[in-house]
Structures are given as structure tokens and as C-alpha cells.
Amino acid sequence: MEDPTREIPRVIHLLTQSPPSLQRATLEKYFTPSASFTHPFCRTGSFEGSRWLIWCIYRWYKIMSPRIELEVDGVAFDEKNLTLYASIHQTFRLFLVPFFAAPVCLTTVLKLVRLPPPPPPPSSPHQASYTETASRYTALDGDQWEQPRSSEKRLYYIQSQNDLYQVNELCKFFSLLGILSGLLLLWQLVSTGLCVLGAAVFWPVSWVEENVVGGNRERGLGDAVRG
């Protein structure tokens, strides 16, 4: 990628909503060969060739839910630390359970590296090259698949992908009637009430911290007792 903030929404759509050949071409273009994938339900680790495992995960993901509704709500790029954040919402449907739908939100954290673009691999009669594959499709927004503008320019590649879900979002994958999500919501409300109760009952601790200790940065409780 030359501009990760601009390009990553299309990359995400291609990985989740494209035919198998274009899905694989997307991985080979944007992910390093040793890229890792981390999800609450699976992980690959990072080693030479681990990108193939990521392709298998995305293939099974698409097999389970052939038609995925997905939107990228926002993207933020920490250029100093080469970290890309994407806020996503999607509706996941299982083809074996016609009435099941899990509308979930997640944040994807992508660690990037900057490398010169690799030379194009030799074409194989059993596998279409990237150029051949890309020529058969257009990106979902209607633009043609882009080639790097300069073979000498260092590009951004994805070294790791980490999908982060809130617990209540994960529950939606298992709760067909929303019962589990409802129980979790109830527990969260009870926990909030317990926090309020604890803050009220133990207010002297806060008073001591404010008026005697002075917070974590200034001095510890032992220093306050010693004067």
C-alpha cells in the first residue's frame, strides 16, 4: 500500500466479499509471507508461509457466510508506530442456519512494515498471476485494481492482523435468540451497580489518596505514613 488510510477499506472488502482467486491475490499483494492473524477463535502465529493459513481462515469464513454485509466505519493510522486501526461493523450469517444473523462490531489492528515491492512471481499454469487475476475483476467501489506506481518506492505491507471484539459482541455468535447477550448485559449493569456501591462504601480510601498520599505519582502510602 502507498496510502494505508485510503486503501485499507477496499482491502478489507476484497478479503471478505470477493471470489476465492481475488481473495488470495489480495492476501499475496498486501500481506507479508510471514504475516500473522489473531482472532478470539483462532490464531496462526508468524513464520515463513503463515500467510497460507490466513488464506484458509478467510476461505472458511466466506464458506460459512457466503454473503457478508460489512462496512468500515473509520480508519486511523499511527505512522510513527506503523499501526493501522480500522473500526468495522458486519452482519455474519451462517448458511446452515437460515434465520441466524449476528450484527457485530470490532476493531482490527494491523501492524505494518515498509518494504520494497517484490518482483512478480513466474506464472504457473495452475495458478493465475496477480495481474491476470486482477484483470478479471474490479474493486467493489468501481475502481480498477491498482498497481504500484513505482517499483523502487517502499510500500506498506501487513505483518499482523489482530481482530478485537468486546465480550458482548462475541456472545452474538453463539446466542441464536439473543439470550446470552441479554444475560451479559444484565451482568454488566449489575457490575456497574457494584462499582457505585464500592465507591460509596470505600470513599475514605479516596479521601486518604487525595489528601494524604497525593496520588500515585507523588509518593506512596508508606512515605505518607513516615511523614
Side-chain angles (χ1 to χ4, degrees):
M1 292 178 286
E2 294 186 17
D3 184 353
T5 303
R6 180 180 65 86
E7 296 180 52
I8 198 61
R10 186 175 59 178
V11 173
I12 292 172
H13 280 291
L14 289 170
L15 287 171
T16 57
Q17 297 175 324
S18 61
S21 58
L22 184 53
Q23 190 181 56
R24 184 164 190 169
T26 302
L27 277 166
E28 291 176 350
K29 179 181 179 183
Y30 291 106
F31 284 68
T32 65
S34 60
S36 66
F37 180 89
T38 304
H39 185 277
F41 300 148
C42 58
R43 67 172 59 227
T44 65
S46 176
F47 54 89
E48 191 63 30
S50 57
R51 183 173 60 188
W52 180 80
L53 293 177
I54 302 176
W55 178 73
C56 291
I57 291 171
Y58 272 110
R59 268 291 74 222
W60 177 237
Y61 165 81
K62 190 77 185 301
I63 291 170
M64 287 192 297
S65 184
R67 184 172 179 83
I68 296 168
E69 299 172 13
L70 181 147
E71 292 295 333
V72 179
D73 300 316
V75 176
F77 183 33
D78 181 355
E79 189 170 2
K80 179 181 178 181
N81 295 303
L82 294 178
T83 305
L84 193 63
Y85 303 89
S87 176
I88 301 168
H89 74 268
Q90 66 172 336
T91 300
F92 183 84
R93 292 182 171 88
L94 285 173
F95 76 97
L96 293 175
V97 186
F99 301 105
F100 173 79
V104 297
C105 298
L106 69 145
T107 298
T108 293
V109 181
L110 302 170
K111 291 289 187 179
L112 309 180
V113 293
R114 295 197 70 182
L115 301 169
S123 59
S124 167
H126 303 290
Q127 180 179 348
S129 68
Y130 159 75
T131 304
E132 293 168 345
T133 302
S135 66
R136 298 203 306 268
Y137 301 100
T138 57
L140 297 181
D141 58 6
D143 295 334
Q144 294 292 328
W145 185 277
E146 296 179 3
Q147 295 283 357
R149 298 192 187 109
S150 172
S151 60
E152 298 179 356
K153 187 172 183 178
R154 295 172 71 87
L155 304 177
Y156 293 96
Y157 294 89
I158 298 171
Q159 179 61 38
S160 69
Q161 175 180 342
N162 188 3
D163 289 349
L164 306 177
Y165 292 81
Q166 290 283 352
V167 177
N168 59 310
E169 298 296 322
L170 285 178
C171 287
K172 296 177 182 178
F173 289 107
F174 303 101
S175 184
L176 295 179
L177 299 177
I179 297 174
L180 189 59
S181 298
L183 291 174
L184 179 61
L185 175 61
L186 179 61
W187 167 248
Q188 289 174 323
L189 294 175
V190 171
S191 296
T192 300
L194 292 175
C195 291
V196 173
L197 179 62
V201 171
F202 292 95
W203 69 266
V205 176
S206 298
W207 185 90
V208 170
E209 181 184 7
E210 178 71 26
N211 297 279
V212 179
V213 177
N216 293 336
R217 298 180 182 177
E218 297 183 14
R219 53 178 178 163
L221 182 58
D223 295 332
V225 172
R226 291 192 294 270

